[in-house]
Amino acid sequence: MSGERAEKSWQESCTYTADLPPLVVSFRLSCAVKIVGTMAAHESAAAGEYPERVDFRKTLAGNPLPSITPGTPMSSASGDELTQQALSVVDALNAALVADDAEALERCFSPEQAYWRDQVALTWHMRTFRSPGVVAANLLATWKARAVPEGFRLEGTPLVVPVSPTLQWLDCSLSFRTASPAASASGRLLLLPHTGSGTVQWKVWILSTWLVSLDLQHEDESLLQSPGRQLGGLPRIETEVLIIGGGNAGACLAARLKALAVDSIMLERNERPGDNWARRYDSLRFHIPTSMCEMPYIEYPKELQTPNRLSRDDLAAQLRRFSSAFGLNIITSAHIRSTVYNPSAERWEVTFTIGLNSGNSPPKAIVVVARHLVQATGVASQKPYSPSLPDANLYRGRSLHSASYSNPSASLPAGAKSVIVVGAANTAFDVVSDLASSSSPLAITMVVRSPTYIIPESYVFDPRGFGAYDALPLPVADRALCTLPTVVDAHLAGSLFAALAAQEPERYAALAATGFPVHDSTHPGQNIVCTLLERGGGHYVDIGGTRVLEERRAAVKVGEPERWTARGLRFHDGSEVEADVVIWCTGFGDKNVRAVVEGILGGEGEGGQTTTTPPDGLLLGPREIAERVDATWGLDEEGEIRGMWKRHLGMKNYWVMGGHTMQHRWYSRLLAMQIKAGLAGILPPAYRYTAGV
């Protein structure tokens, strides 16, 4: 099947399904997935989980990094020689694309391993293709669909990037334009040398492409200086984009949209922007470089840059500064009561109230009407999770989740002498360290239920990894760390951390001696990229918390709590630990935001009632919307994060914006341009088909 016919077939199978009942949607999804040709995804979609989540560590194991012949001449070549070598590859790519020659295009790529990762530039989706034949087939299909007028253009001088004696590559920057829609894009070629018959041939290992600018509206920072809208007192508000959530993710997107001349409004449930940070525990400190956390258009003050670690107050203040400086439209203390989507009119209608209801009169309802809706409420942030154990009524002490913890004096009852902290990741170590520094002596026990992956802070700040944000200009660092296929990114980060850990094998010997089950970066089952993108955490970046355990200022208990007792917890091995307070640092239960969509959209009213759609079924309410959105977070079979920053198969004009701070900055631009194109009527179909499989 040709790429053009395949894309048309895919689109016909994925005809918009928002006005159909769930069983029909499931069937339509199943048919669509059959076109892709992956039975696992078909079964997953039929079960309501689309796209399918994979165990990405298995993907890593099946796709190791390539190696080149030791001694292959690269770094000794001059800049002119490297440029000529890169130009010859770019010319061959362009010639094959113009000639629509799949075989010639395939020969441009490394035969052992090849990738193409596209972020909105050609697929108008987020896709990663593997193997030369698959890359060539899908690159040709989307190249024609986007009517690329001139081909790739080499920009600047290629650079040799040495990673190890058996892996180094030629890193080349590209630019190109598309005509359908008219837009500018950037690219990146990673070339590997292949030796044979005494000559060196350069082949493409990785091609990365991403959208930069739409011709109809370039990103214009001067628009950020225009004042925000006066929204007070209006019973009905119309806007192009409604963003639910006014944290970093929502604010980054709102600013990007404003720079594209798109009107948006954020609804924030807290009283002030930044309260999502200000309400966290007092001792919170970020464990990554400040430069990695920058928002678009504005930087943190110099005194907050590395080696400083951002506090909760630093984060809150910067978000308030950002929202104020750019006149972003935000309504605070907003509580959503209902949401309705009209598929035929393609309009969202969200009813909300401001503040809490006081007195006997109902709060005044305000309605906002929008063409697009963005959920920016965070990943793993809405539903605090703690295990439900038997006999909770027996416990005479205080039990709380870390989301309710602020500091020892405010969170512990008077006279408390002992505390159990359940969990052993970032938050748990922060809380244990905070408790250990309390002016009142406390007997602290950290309950470790499974081995914890611990990464020294110095590894994170290494300039060959995330520390690149301190070593390089921000756009250069983003290009280096946000454009590679996830499988390659994970291998490179894992190899770096493993090499650093191998140099200090006894670093955590004292911690292990306490009984703490520690995994360092040499452990074959640990990888920082997988940990972040699959689990959303569960590791600890060691900023000194392990010393509290090593110095025996807190005890370690390994095991799974089984039930409550009057004085504490009983474990599966029959042992008991007594404490006046139990703090559950066990994370959140909404990594997949589908779990909270209905509630966030007002689907659960007073007394637990649920909003239903009218009998005619022409409108969608919170429950129907939640059934149609893609599964989010975790990685699909291509290594792309599910459901984030891109269109959902079964729910039109609904987007999810979130992730980590670096992702807020990078993906907010890509999402804003998709929304802008949609508003202008030039948004191409998302290319979901995979040719050549």
Side-chain angles (χ1 to χ4, degrees):
M1 184 182 291
S2 72
E4 183 177 355
R5 287 176 55 215
E7 185 171 8
K8 181 179 179 182
S9 180
W10 172 269
Q11 295 303 329
E12 289 174 348
S13 297
C14 296
T15 301
Y16 182 52
T17 58
D19 56 342
L20 300 177
L23 288 177
V24 178
V25 172
S26 179
F27 174 75
R28 185 70 61 83
L29 287 173
S30 300
C31 294
V33 174
K34 282 183 179 179
I35 297 176
V36 180
T38 57
M39 183 57 68
H42 165 60
E43 294 170 350
S44 177
E49 182 83 346
Y50 174 85
E52 180 192 18
R53 179 174 184 160
V54 302
D55 181 350
F56 201 66
R57 285 171 174 80
K58 293 182 179 178
T59 304
L60 285 181
N63 296 273
L65 290 174
S67 61
I68 62 174
T69 304
T72 300
M74 289 182 69
S75 56
S76 60
S78 67
D80 288 343
E81 290 174 320
L82 295 176
T83 300
Q84 288 303 314
Q85 291 161 348
L87 277 172
S88 65
V89 175
V90 173
D91 288 344
L93 281 171
N94 287 334
L97 288 164
V98 169
D100 194 18
D101 189 335
E103 292 184 359
L105 186 58
E106 183 176 346
R107 288 195 297 270
C108 294
F109 289 86
S110 177
E112 291 83 13
Q113 186 182 91
Y115 298 93
W116 169 38
R117 187 183 188 200
D118 181 70
Q119 297 178 91
V120 189
L122 293 170
T123 63
W124 276 81
H125 206 45
M126 294 185 187
R127 300 289 309 275
T128 299
F129 303 92
R130 288 196 293 264
S131 84
V134 172
V135 168
N138 292 282
L139 183 56
L140 277 173
T142 55
W143 192 265
K144 289 185 289 185
R146 300 288 75 79
V148 178
E150 297 177 357
F152 292 121
R153 178 186 177 92
L154 185 67
E155 300 288 347
T157 301
L159 300 174
V160 174
V161 179
V163 175
S164 72
T166 59
L167 180 60
Q168 48 187 320
W169 62 75
L170 197 58
D171 198 329
C172 315
S173 294
L174 304 174
S175 66
F176 63 101
R177 288 187 48 76
T178 63
S180 178
S184 298
S186 287
R188 184 182 182 190
L189 278 181
L190 272 57
L191 306 180
L192 295 179
H194 289 255
T195 57
S197 304
T199 62
V200 175
Q201 284 189 318
W202 294 86
K203 300 288 186 179
V204 179
W205 172 35
I206 296 172
L207 169 64
S208 298
T209 50
W210 61 93
L211 187 66
V212 172
S213 179
L214 296 169
D215 283 11
L216 69 92
Q217 176 66 61
H218 296 283
E219 196 171 22
D220 184 355
E221 293 187 35
S222 68
L223 296 175
L224 295 171
Q225 304 310 313
S226 60
R229 294 174 59 181
Q230 298 298 315
L231 301 172
L234 296 176
R236 183 179 178 88
I237 303 168
E238 293 193 7
T239 185
E240 291 176 302
V241 182
L242 177 64
I243 302 171
I244 300 177
N248 289 58
C252 285
L253 179 61
R256 295 285 196 191
L257 289 169
K258 189 171 183 178
L260 292 176
V262 174
D263 183 69
S264 71
I265 294 173
M266 291 181 284
L267 295 184
E268 168 59 39
R269 66 183 177 184
N270 289 308
E271 296 177 7
R272 296 186 301 167
D275 278 357
N276 58 312
W277 293 116
R279 294 176 183 272
R280 301 288 299 277
Y281 54 91
D282 294 357
S283 63
L284 182 147
R285 292 274 177 176
F286 259 28
H287 303 167
I288 55 179
T290 298
S291 54
M292 190 176 174
C293 305
E294 299 286 9
M295 299 173 74
Y297 314 122
I298 194 171
E299 293 185 352
Y300 277 93
K302 185 177 180 180
E303 63 269 19
L304 297 182
Q305 299 292 334
T306 303
N308 175 76
R309 292 192 299 269
L310 293 173
S311 70
R312 64 166 198 169
D313 293 331
D314 296 332
L315 291 155
Q318 184 73 348
L319 182 52
R320 289 169 186 149
R321 176 186 170 211
F322 186 87
S323 299
S324 175
F326 300 139
L328 303 182
N329 301 317
I330 182 168
I331 299 174
T332 56
S333 300
H335 301 273
I336 295 176
R337 301 305 184 190
S338 68
T339 299
V340 173
Y341 182 67
N342 186 326
S344 60
E346 296 189 4
R347 290 294 185 274
W348 294 90
E349 187 170 295
V350 177
T351 302
F352 66 96
T353 57
I354 295 178
L356 298 176
N357 184 17
S358 59
N360 296 323
S361 60
K364 183 179 179 180
I366 303 170
V367 176
V368 58
V369 178
R371 294 177 61 184
H372 290 256
L373 187 142
V374 180
Q375 182 179 339
T377 53
V379 173
S381 63
Q382 301 297 312
K383 285 189 173 183
Y385 169 76
S386 55
S388 178
L389 302 180
D391 299 330
N393 60 305
L394 297 179
Y395 183 55
R396 297 197 297 267
R398 185 184 181 196
S399 173
L400 69 155
H401 190 272
S402 60
S404 301
Y405 176 82
S406 55
N407 59 60
S409 61
S411 300
L412 305 186
K417 301 296 184 182
S418 54
V419 184
I420 293 173
V421 176
V422 182
N426 282 321
T427 298
F429 269 100
D430 285 353
V431 170
V432 166
S433 299
D434 195 35
L435 294 169
S437 65
S438 172
S439 57
S440 301
L442 292 168
I444 308 164
T445 302
M446 173 181 269
V447 173
V448 187
R449 297 171 298 162
S450 60
T452 298
Y453 177 30
I454 298 183
I455 308 159
E457 180 187 31
S458 59
Y459 296 10
V460 176
F461 283 74
D462 190 290
R464 293 167 292 180
F466 298 134
Y469 281 98
D470 283 337
L472 300 170
L474 193 61
V476 177
D478 274 345
R479 174 192 178 277
L481 296 177
C482 296
T483 62
L484 291 177
T486 306
V487 64
V488 174
D489 191 29
H491 273 306
L492 294 175
S495 297
L496 171 62
F497 284 10
L500 293 171
Q503 296 172 15
E504 44 181 2
E506 299 301 315
R507 176 153 188 158
Y508 289 116
L511 179 64
T514 70
F516 189 101
V518 57
H519 284 175
D520 69 7
S521 293
T522 62
H523 191 280
Q526 299 297 351
N527 183 285
I528 182 58
V529 172
C530 291
T531 297
L532 290 172
L533 301 186
E534 287 192 301
R535 297 185 60 191
H539 63 293
Y540 176 52
V541 175
D542 188 5
I543 60 174
T546 55
R547 289 198 300 269
V548 175
L549 302 181
E550 292 169 354
E551 295 167 2
R552 312 295 169 132
R553 289 185 285 150
V556 174
K557 168 61 182 175
V558 180
E560 190 73 40
E562 181 182 45
R563 63 195 319 112
W564 289 95
T565 68
R567 292 289 301 138
L569 294 171
R570 179 176 297 159
F571 292 79
H572 282 295
D573 62 2
S575 63
E576 296 183 11
V577 177
E578 296 184 352
D580 300 320
V581 182
V582 177
I583 303 174
W584 298 91
C585 299
T586 45
F588 292 77
D590 59 310
K591 288 186 179 69
N592 187 340
V593 301
R594 293 185 75 194
V596 295
V597 167
E598 184 178 353
I600 285 172
L601 298 183
E604 295 182 358
E606 298 296 329
Q609 299 105 351
T610 58
T611 301
T612 57
T613 53
D616 58 17
L618 297 179
L619 304 178
L620 303 180
R623 179 172 297 175
E624 291 77 20
I625 295 163
E627 290 172 346
R628 287 161 170 77
V629 300
D630 285 359
T632 55
W633 211 247
L635 298 170
D636 65 20
E637 62 179 353
E638 295 179 355
E640 296 293 338
I641 297 177
R642 305 183 303 162
M644 305 288 290
W645 318 299
K646 55 192 172 187
R647 277 170 282 180
H648 290 226
L649 179 60
M651 191 66 238
K652 194 170 185 180
N653 297 344
Y654 187 95
W655 312 82
V656 178
M657 174 66 200
H660 306 300
T661 50
M662 174 180 67
Q663 294 169 330
H664 297 160
R665 180 181 60 253
W666 177 261
Y667 288 104
S668 59
R669 175 187 281 123
L670 295 169
L671 175 50
M673 287 188 290
Q674 291 176 80
I675 292 175
K676 178 68 177 183
L679 291 168
I682 61 169
L683 182 65
Y687 184 79
R688 292 186 172 92
Y689 177 73
T690 303
V693 177

